[in-house]
Amino acid sequence: MKYVYLARPFFSNEPIARLKQVESCLAEDPQPLAVYAPRLYQESSSEPYTPEWAREVFEKDMLELTRADVVVAVLDDHEGIADPGTAFEIGAAHVRNKPVIAFQEKAAAVNLMLTESVQAYLTDLAARTAYDFEAMAHRAFVGDYI
């Protein structure tokens, strides 16, 4: 079973709805996948939104990213400008030699640091559903660069 770290901001209704859609898609995958979605694990022994809370949540997320076999990063954000946290998670996965599967349905120019650090760049839910997490085929970004 592959362990998937799901990278995506979750700070307003639209990103949360989008994230839930991708979570459902991953849950229905014919391959057995265990998914860690950071939005579901923001609890801490410290008061929320304090420096202590931030450190605990960061450490937990980085531990789970390190444990993951693969990172799925949802990039449907601000006109091709990735969320800074998601971009950080992609970079952290890359330096740990973790494959990253980028998922972006909204057409937009993308920074080459993101496109060149991923194993596969998928542009619709059908491609995400069909993607084989065992074979981990390379699928290059096709589009415009920022």
Side-chain angles (χ1 to χ4, degrees):
M1 176 180 298
K2 291 284 186 182
Y3 185 49
V4 177
Y5 181 98
L6 183 56
R8 165 77 163 143
F10 46 88
F11 306 112
S12 64
N13 290 337
E14 192 277 329
I16 291 172
R18 185 79 182 110
L19 192 54
K20 286 180 179 180
Q21 188 178 32
V22 175
E23 287 169 355
S24 293
C25 183
L26 290 168
E28 295 167 5
D29 198 285
Q31 300 168 327
L33 302 173
V35 178
Y36 177 81
R39 77 178 183 87
L40 302 175
Y41 300 97
Q42 297 294 296
E43 72 276 347
S44 162
S45 61
S46 300
E47 185 167 338
Y49 305 102
T50 63
E52 296 79 17
W53 167 85
R55 175 54 52 189
E56 278 186 62
V57 170
F58 174 79
E59 294 295 338
K60 170 76 170 149
D61 288 352
M62 289 300 96
L63 175 64
E64 296 305 323
L65 187 143
T66 300
R67 289 179 176 167
D69 298 306
V70 60
V71 172
V72 172
V74 181
L75 300 177
D76 287 325
D77 292 319
H78 317 289
E79 298 179 13
I81 306 299
D83 166 72
T86 303
F88 175 86
E89 289 163 323
I90 291 170
H94 181 73
V95 300
R96 288 174 171 83
N97 296 311
K98 306 273 181 193
V100 176
I101 310 305
F103 180 67
Q104 180 180 10
E105 284 190 306
K106 297 177 185 176
V110 181
N111 185 291
L112 68 90
M113 298 302 281
L114 297 178
T115 66
E116 299 311 301
S117 63
V118 302
Q119 179 68 21
Y121 211 97
L122 309 176
T123 57
D124 59 54
L125 280 175
R128 207 315 306 138
T129 301
Y131 190 78
D132 185 340
F133 280 90
E134 292 300 323
M136 298 296 282
H138 182 262
R139 300 228 359 225
F141 171 77
V142 176
D144 298 322
Y145 296 95
I146 292 178

